[in-house]
């Protein structure tokens, strides 16, 4: 469920400056660096065209077998913005990782690199401590990995922040009897308030707004629908773990009428005359809800044009939707 909220947020960026190793560690670090370059020499000879060295090369003696096992060769990949990305995959001892990390940062600094992105699978969470020690910071986390970043030069940090917005939808479903599909929520902000509201929900990663609206209505009420238009949207801040929020009011056309509510989230669902929906006291007391209700009523009367989803493709061939006033746009072609 996604409530309609309004607030403000201000975001600052931080510069992370590299700190060289203490003087007392310089001799040991030099020894480690010398060993590292010896180990990597054969790799570097084969990759003279590469501009960044491997980050991790470790050889470990297995005493009982007397064999040498190479563990974890991680290469840094240059990005289009003067930075590098390292996708860690193999286990490595944090004590070995730290001096090699310092050596790599020193090399990248000499090469004029800017941002460093290190992706750690959750299995390598033990490497977070040495990365933070070198002033890496968290950028974002997913269910299976952490992304940490570091800005090398003494200039303003221009690394993009993590995704700043969550996207939600509210579904205005109007049938031929001028009845609106409304629900009472079992949980969240509207629990126990007796408010009949539009079905709402969050757009999933990689999901189109128009698709999310149809999915949420089906999940919450069992009603089959077809996307028609985006009627309006609002932006709020500090809505969810300090993230900003975009909320789209979408009009859908129903293709079924029998309600099968989602018991885990929905207390009740029904078809309500649009005038009754608009006149609810909650809508009249809260400006945002009043505007949304009045927009829905105006659309039901045919006096409002929203934004249709038009399939388009980028220059690279990536498919997406452009939301526009299709009626007036086509009329002017």
């Amino acid at each position: 469920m996604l409530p309609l909220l309004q607030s403000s947020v201000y975001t600052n960026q931080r510069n992370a400056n590299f700190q060289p190793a203490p003087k007392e560690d310089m001799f040991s670090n030099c020894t480690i660096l010398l060993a590292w370059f010896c180990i990597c020499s054969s790799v570097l000879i084969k990759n003279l065209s590469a501009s960044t060295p491997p980050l991790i090369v470790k050889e470990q003696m297995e005493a009982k077998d007397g064999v040498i096992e190479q563990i974890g060769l991680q290469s840094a990949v240059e990005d289009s913005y003067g930075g590098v990305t390292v996708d860690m995959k193999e286990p490595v001892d944090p004590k070995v990782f730290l001096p090699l990390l310092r050596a790599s940062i020193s090399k990248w600094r000499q090469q004029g690199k800017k941002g460093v992105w290190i992706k750690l699978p959750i299995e390598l969470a033990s490497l977070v401590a040495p990365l933070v020690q070198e002033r890496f910071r968290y950028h974002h986390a997913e269910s299976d990995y952490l992304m940490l970043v570091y800005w090398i030069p003494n200039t303003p940090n221009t690394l993009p922040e993590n995704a700043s917005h969550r996207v939600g939808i509210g579904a205005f479903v109007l049938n031929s009897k001028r009845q609106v599909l409304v629900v009472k929520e079992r949980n969240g902000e509207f629990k126990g308030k007796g408010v009949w509201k539009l079905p709402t929900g969050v757009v999933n990663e990689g999901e189109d707004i128009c698709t999310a609206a149809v999915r949420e209505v089906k999940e919450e009420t069992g009603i089959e629908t077809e996307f028609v238009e985006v009627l309006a949207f609002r932006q709020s801040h500090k809505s969810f773990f300090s993230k900003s929020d975009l909320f789209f009011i979408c009009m859908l056309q129903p293709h079924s009428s029998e309600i099968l509510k989602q018991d885990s989230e929905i207390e009740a669902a029904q078809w309500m005359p649009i005038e009754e929906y608009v006149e609810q006291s909650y809508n009249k007391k809260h400006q945002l809800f009043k505007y949304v209700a009045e927009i829905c009523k105006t659309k039901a009367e045919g006096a409002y044009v929203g934004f249709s989803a038009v399939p388009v493709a980028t220059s690279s061939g990536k498919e997406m939707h452009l939301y526009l006033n299709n009626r007036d746009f086509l009329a002017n072609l």
Side-chain angles (χ1 to χ4, degrees), residues 20-179:
K23 292 183 178 180
E24 57 268 26
D25 292 337
M26 290 181 62
F27 179 78
S28 60
N29 283 347
C30 289
T31 304
I32 293 172
L33 291 178
L34 179 61
W36 181 73
F37 282 115
C38 291
I39 294 172
C40 292
S41 59
S42 61
V43 177
L44 293 174
I45 291 173
K46 294 179 182 179
N47 295 278
L48 290 176
S49 61
S51 60
T52 57
L55 175 60
I56 302 297
V57 176
K58 177 190 173 188
E59 290 188 347
Q60 173 178 305
M61 293 294 297
E62 297 291 339
K64 62 178 181 179
D65 297 325
V67 298
I68 297 177
E69 179 186 6
Q70 179 174 300
I71 301 178
L73 175 63
Q74 303 293 337
S75 295
V77 178
E78 295 183 4
D79 59 36
S80 302
Y81 302 94
V84 292
T85 300
V86 179
D87 190 355
M88 300 292 297
K89 296 184 182 298
E90 301 295 333
V92 60
D93 187 332
K95 294 181 180 179
V96 175
F97 176 78
L98 181 57
L100 299 183
L101 173 65
R102 288 173 174 169
S104 293
I105 292 176
S106 177
K107 182 66 175 180
W108 294 328
R109 184 187 296 277
Q110 294 173 11
Q111 294 174 339
K113 300 303 177 187
K114 298 178 180 178
V116 181
W117 303 74
I118 294 188
K119 182 179 179 180
L120 289 181
I122 198 166
E123 295 82 6
L124 301 185
S126 62
L127 299 182
V128 170
L131 284 166
V132 172
Q133 182 178 335
E134 294 307 303
R135 297 198 176 183
F136 277 75
R137 63 178 178 84
Y138 292 120
H139 186 268
H140 67 273
E142 296 293 342
S143 60
D144 58 347
Y145 75 87
L146 299 171
M147 183 69 78
L148 293 95
V149 294
Y150 177 76
W151 184 254
I152 295 177
N154 292 320
T155 60
N157 184 344
T158 61
L159 290 176
E161 294 297 329
N162 185 25
S164 61
H165 284 69
R166 183 179 64 159
V167 180
I169 62 90
F172 172 51
V173 185
L174 184 71
N175 65 18
S176 59
K177 300 177 183 179
R178 288 178 53 84
Q179 295 173 324

Side-chain angles (χ1 to χ4, degrees), residues 217-330:
V217 170
K218 175 66 174 178
E219 289 178 357
E220 292 191 1
T221 69
I223 299 296
E224 299 284 353
T225 61
E226 178 184 353
F227 177 84
V228 179
E229 293 176 339
V230 170
L231 299 181
F233 72 92
R234 69 100 178 98
Q235 182 186 31
S236 65
H237 304 291
K238 288 189 176 294
S239 174
F240 186 75
F241 290 105
S242 296
K243 296 295 183 181
S244 298
D245 187 278
L246 288 171
F247 188 85
F248 292 82
I249 306 299
C250 303
M251 183 176 186
L252 307 180
Q253 179 181 348
H255 290 307
S256 64
S257 58
E258 183 181 358
I259 295 175
L260 299 172
K261 71 179 181 70
Q262 184 182 38
D263 291 333
S264 61
E265 296 188 13
I266 303 301
E267 179 183 340
Q270 67 168 335
W271 292 101
M272 173 182 285
I274 189 167
E275 292 79 12
E276 186 178 340
Y277 161 69
V278 173
E279 293 299 320
Q280 290 184 99
S281 60
Y282 189 91
N283 290 340
K284 290 186 172 296
K285 291 178 181 178
H286 297 83
Q287 185 182 46
L288 181 58
F289 282 82
K290 179 180 179 180
Y291 280 179
V292 169
E294 289 295 339
I295 288 171
C296 292
K297 180 181 178 182
T298 305
K299 178 62 181 178
E301 295 169 351
Y304 187 94
V305 178
F307 293 90
S308 303
V310 178
V312 296
T314 65
S315 58
S316 64
K318 184 178 180 180
E319 296 181 352
M320 60 184 62
H321 287 93
L322 177 66
Y323 294 85
L324 52 85
N325 181 335
N326 203 19
R327 185 191 67 180
D328 293 343
F329 176 73
L330 293 178

